[in-house]
Each structure stands twice: as structure tokens, then as C-alpha cells.
């Protein structure tokens, strides 16, 4: 298991590379060019600027999260070909600075979705929260209208300046089915996986978060069956998975331990975090510790240990602790604690078979 840490870039992250350097066992940063809009080709000079910052701090840049996929690709519009060409050129450029894994997702309109970014927890920290009733069966067009009429009402991702754009996107997805999305994903993979393979890069799809349809939008990467289907669309090691325990874990039906065993050699990148799922379908992000949530983190690390996992791992969203002001889910403290928990489990499971190398 090779530990990496997500970093949003100079001036774009409250956590510094110097701070990350002090977390035991972190060897690389998980990065992206967050200022480049989805669909655009990444400028080489911007890539090289990150390369230089990482070099100075002594981190590798093996994992990119994410090169985002333009909505026209997910929608299957004729204009997608231009964006796919840009994507291919970005893959080629990334290979030139040694990138090994590109994480991406195929979620329509939204990436991860929550209803409260700072829900107070009993211990005085705050965390990302998902309240099912605010999203299930909600008509998105109604919601746009309600927010426009009531300035008090808001929701993460539904900021007033984004509403018009959101309404347009919802319109574009009207009538788009899950099967349409699968066809569009297949077309995308057929185009880019051979390029990635040639460049020595493994593509790693991130599951949908939460793993079910939201606001009537189809979501297709949600469970073992869909991951199986994804892998079979293009049966090549360069077509892989970012196995995110927190995204998949929001659905208690998902058995992540068995997914690790089944998809072992197709998981170049793992996100490990915990969530507590309630009976009504709400969930809150907790510390990484197994007992604090409903995801079997100890079992997950044990499974990675058993398959001899050599891929990249990062802790994922954490709570906001000790008054830290940071990007939602991306503070320093809880993710650093998470890493130490993961190392603790890993080393303990390793000890049975071989001594820990000093
Ligand atoms: C949340 C992340 C996701 C992830 C993308 C990958 O923090 O796990 O935003 O980066 O879905 O494309």
C-alpha cells in the first residue's frame, strides 16, 4: 500500500506541502489542475509548475484526481469528440511527468453530493452530512424555483450564481437513461483506454457518491455488478477502479471487502474512509475508525493486505477538528489521524506473516 494525500494546489488548499510532509509514510500528492475547466486540454507549463512544487517537497505525482469528463461526453453529444481528443492529449502530457494513475468519474451534473457541509457532531467536530429526504423524490426544477424565490434557502452546489447553469444541465439530461450513460461511457473508454495503456497510465473510475440516482439523474457506478460491467467494457488493466469505501459504503448492501477480493488486480487506487449510515438512508462522514461508522475499515485493510495490494491509497474526507478552517472534508487533522489508523491496521496485519522492515 503506497500512501498518498490529496492536495488542491498552491493557494487553493489550507494544507501545505510542508504539513503533509510530517504525516508518516506519505510518499506522493494526489493532484489536479483545478483551474482548468472540464474538457480543456491541460497546459504543459501548468503541469510542470506542479511538478516543480512536488519535487521541491520530495513528493511524487503518480496519481491525478481528477481529469474531469465534460458533460457532452456523458451526454453523448456530437461535440464530445473534441473533448475526447483534448482528454487524450492530456493523458499523453501527464505520462511525460510520470503519472501512473488517472482518477475520473462519470457522474452527471454533480460530483459528490451532500446536504450539509458542516453538520455538528456530538464530539464538537463537524462533518459532511447527507439528508435523504432533501434529495429523494425532489424535482430539481422545483428546487431551482424555490431557491430563486427564497434567498434563505440553499444547498451545497446550488449557490444562486450556479442555478441557471444547473437548470440548463438538468434540461440536457431530461430523458437520458442509465443505458444511454453506459453507451456513452463505453464510447469514452474505447477511445481513451488504448491511449492510456500506451502511455503506461491506468484509468481509475471513481464510484458515484452517493451510489444511487439523485434528482432523477441516472448514476451508474454504484455496486459490484456495475463495477464488473465497467471492467468488462474494456478488458484491459488500463481500465480500472478507484475503490472508494466511503462512496460505496453509503449503501449498506455494498460488500466492499468482497469487491477488493474480486477486483484485486483492477484497483490501482483506493480511497479509504468511513461513514455512518442511518436507517432512513441519511449518512454522516465519521472518523476512519471502524467502530465510529458502518463501514468495516479494519476488514478492508485486512483484505488489501491479503491481496498484497501495491496500489495507491489515500485517506478520504475527514471531520473538521479542533476549529480547523478548511475545504469541506479536506482538513489536515482528521485525514492525518486516518492515515495513522490505516498504517496501524496494515502493520498489525503484516506482522503475522513477516517482520516490519525498519
Ligand atoms: C471527493 C472525491 C471526489 C472524487 C471525484 C473523482 O472528495 O472523492 O470528488 O475526487 O469524484 O473524480
Amino acid at each position: 500500500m503506497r500512501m498518498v494525500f490529496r492536495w488542491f494546489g498552491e493557494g487553493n488548499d489550507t494544507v501545505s506541502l510542508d504539513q503533509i510532509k510530517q504525516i508518516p509514510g506519505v510518499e506522493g500528492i494526489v493532484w489536479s489542475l483545478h483551474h482548468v475547466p472540464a474538457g480543456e486540454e491541460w497546459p504543459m507549463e501548468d503541469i510542470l509548475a506542479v511538478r516543480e512544487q512536488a519535487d521541491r517537497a520530495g513528493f511524487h505525482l503518480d496519481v491525478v484526481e481528477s481529469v474531469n469528463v465534460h458533460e457532452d461526453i456523458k451526454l453523448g453529444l456530437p461535440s464530445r469528440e473534441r473533448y475526447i481528443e483534448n482528454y487524450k492529449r492530456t493523458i499523453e502530457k501527464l505520462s511525460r511527468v510520470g503519472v501512473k494513475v488517472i482518477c475520473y468519474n462519470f457522474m452527471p451534473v454533480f460530483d459528490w453530493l451532500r446536504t450539509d457541509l458542516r453538520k455538528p457532531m456530538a464530539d464538537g467536530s463537524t462533518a459532511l452530512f447527507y439528508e435523504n429526504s432533501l434529495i429523494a423524490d425532489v424535482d430539481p426544477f422545483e428546487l431551482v424555483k424555490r431557491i430563486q424565490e427564497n434567498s434563505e434557502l440553499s444547498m451545497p452546489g446550488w449557490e444562486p450564481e450556479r442555478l441557471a447553469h444547473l437548470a440548463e444541465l438538468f434540461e440536457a439530461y431530461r430523458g437520458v437513461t442509465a443505458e444511454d450513460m453506459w453507451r456513452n461511457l463505453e464510447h469514452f473508454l474505447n477511445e481513451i483506454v488504448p491511449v492510456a495503456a500506451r502511455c503506461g497510465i491506468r484509468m481509475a473510475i471513481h464510484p458515484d457518491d452517493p451510489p444511487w440516482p439523485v434528482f432523477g439523474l441516472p448514476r451508474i457506478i454504484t455496486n459490484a455488478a456495475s463495477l464488473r460491467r465497467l471492467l468488462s467494457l474494456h478488458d484491459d488493466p488500463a481500465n480500472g477502479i478507484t475503490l472508494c469505501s466511503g462512496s460505496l459504503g453509503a449503501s449498506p448492501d455494498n460488500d466492499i471487502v468482497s469487491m477488493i477480493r474480486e477486483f484485486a488486480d483492477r484497483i490501482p487506487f483506493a480511497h479509504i474512509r468511513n461513514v455512518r449510515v442511518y436507517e432512513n438512508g441519511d449518512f454522516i462522514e465519521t472518523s476512519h475508525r471502524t467502530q465510529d461508522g458502518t463501514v468495516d475499515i479494519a476488514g478492508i485493510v485486512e483484505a488489501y493486505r491479503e491481496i498484497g495490494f501495491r496500489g495507491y491509497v489515500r485517506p478520504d474526507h475527514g471531520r473538521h477538528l479542533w476549529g480547523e478552517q478548511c475545504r469541506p472534508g479536506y482538513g489536515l487533522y482528521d485525514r492525518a489521524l486516518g492515515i495513522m489508523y490505516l498504517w496501524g491496521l496494515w502493520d498489525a496485519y503484516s506482522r503475522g506473516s513477516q517482520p516490519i522492515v525498519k
Side-chain angles (χ1 to χ4, degrees):
M1 151 165 116
R2 304 183 62 183
M3 192 63 73
V4 288
F5 198 85
R6 194 172 199 187
W7 185 62
F8 286 90
E10 210 77 70
N12 198 26
D13 201 316
T14 54
V15 181
S16 69
L17 292 180
D18 290 346
Q19 288 171 321
I20 299 171
K21 198 73 198 164
Q22 294 175 11
I23 308 171
V26 175
E27 56 173 65
I29 50 168
V30 175
W31 64 288
S32 184
L33 294 184
H34 293 277
H35 59 281
V36 179
E40 300 298 317
E41 182 181 341
W42 287 17
M44 198 63 201
E45 55 178 321
D46 296 11
I47 296 173
L48 290 174
V50 182
R51 157 91 284 161
E52 208 181 291
Q53 291 155 4
D55 276 351
R56 239 182 292 131
F59 288 126
H60 68 63
L61 285 183
D62 293 5
V63 186
V64 168
E65 177 179 348
S66 309
V67 179
N68 284 322
V69 177
H70 194 277
E71 296 294 336
D72 289 8
I73 298 177
K74 298 178 216 166
L75 284 161
L77 301 180
S79 46
R80 67 181 161 179
E81 304 307 339
R82 175 156 58 94
Y83 299 118
I84 291 176
E85 287 313 306
N86 287 345
Y87 208 103
K88 289 181 189 167
R89 281 198 291 272
T90 298
I91 294 175
E92 281 160 0
K93 284 179 177 173
L94 290 174
S95 75
R96 279 187 244 143
V97 294
V99 167
K100 305 278 188 296
V101 177
I102 296 177
C103 169
Y104 69 102
N105 72 74
F106 216 72
M107 293 178 242
V109 185
F110 298 101
D111 192 324
W112 55 275
L113 191 69
R114 301 289 182 271
T115 56
D116 188 344
L117 299 182
R118 297 188 192 276
K119 171 108 173 155
M121 299 185 87
D123 61 9
S125 62
T126 62
L128 302 171
F129 180 62
Y130 183 92
E131 187 172 342
N132 206 22
S133 64
L134 294 181
I135 294 183
D137 307 323
V138 168
D139 173 351
F141 296 100
E142 267 299 304
L143 185 58
V144 167
K145 225 168 79 205
R146 268 174 35 220
I147 295 178
Q148 277 164 344
E149 286 164 2
N150 178 357
S151 56
E152 305 277 282
L153 197 66
S154 185
M155 180 113 99
W158 293 73
E159 292 72 23
E161 64 280 8
R162 287 198 71 220
L163 285 182
H165 181 58
L166 276 183
E168 257 170 45
L169 282 173
F170 279 117
E171 200 50 60
Y173 275 97
R174 225 191 252 276
V176 173
T177 64
E179 282 311 308
D180 294 330
M181 295 273 302
W182 276 109
R183 257 193 307 280
N184 299 337
L185 176 57
E186 183 170 9
H187 175 79
F188 176 63
L189 292 176
N190 286 343
E191 291 288 323
I192 61 155
V193 171
V195 177
R198 206 175 57 238
C199 291
I201 287 184
R202 299 179 74 185
M203 299 301 301
I205 198 165
H206 188 285
D208 300 347
D209 180 2
W212 52 75
V214 292
F215 299 119
L217 297 164
R219 288 196 154 198
I220 57 174
I221 308 295
T222 56
N223 54 24
S226 54
L227 289 170
R228 216 169 282 135
R229 181 168 177 185
L230 172 275
L231 295 179
S232 72
L233 287 182
H234 209 103
D235 196 13
D236 188 306
N239 175 30
I241 301 169
T242 297
L243 199 81
C244 176
S245 67
S247 303
L248 293 163
S251 174
D253 295 341
N254 279 333
D255 178 348
I256 295 152
V257 169
S258 79
M259 291 182 201
I260 295 169
R261 298 216 169 92
E262 178 177 351
F263 305 126
D265 57 347
R266 302 291 287 276
I267 308 174
F269 187 27
H271 289 179
I272 309 186
R273 71 175 159 88
N274 209 341
V275 286
R276 175 162 294 285
V277 181
Y278 300 98
E279 257 169 35
N280 61 2
D282 294 355
F283 63 87
I284 189 149
E285 301 193 359
T286 63
S287 99
H288 286 57
R289 185 170 175 253
T290 305
Q291 296 87 329
D292 292 343
T294 34
V295 181
D296 180 11
I297 301 294
I300 285 172
V301 176
E302 185 179 26
Y304 280 123
R305 181 70 195 82
E306 276 172 18
I307 65 164
F309 187 61
R310 291 180 187 283
Y312 302 92
V313 173
R314 75 166 176 84
D316 205 351
H317 303 168
R319 301 161 299 150
H320 318 110
L321 305 184
W322 306 316
E324 187 178 19
Q325 303 295 318
C326 55
R327 303 176 73 96
Y330 284 96
L332 171 63
Y333 306 132
D334 209 28
R335 286 186 298 155
L337 292 175
I339 285 184
M340 287 316 290
Y341 182 64
L342 299 180
W343 277 139
L345 290 168
W346 181 267
D347 288 348
Y349 287 129
S350 304
R351 248 186 114 77
S353 48
Q354 59 192 77
I356 295 170
V357 181
K358 286 239 171 75

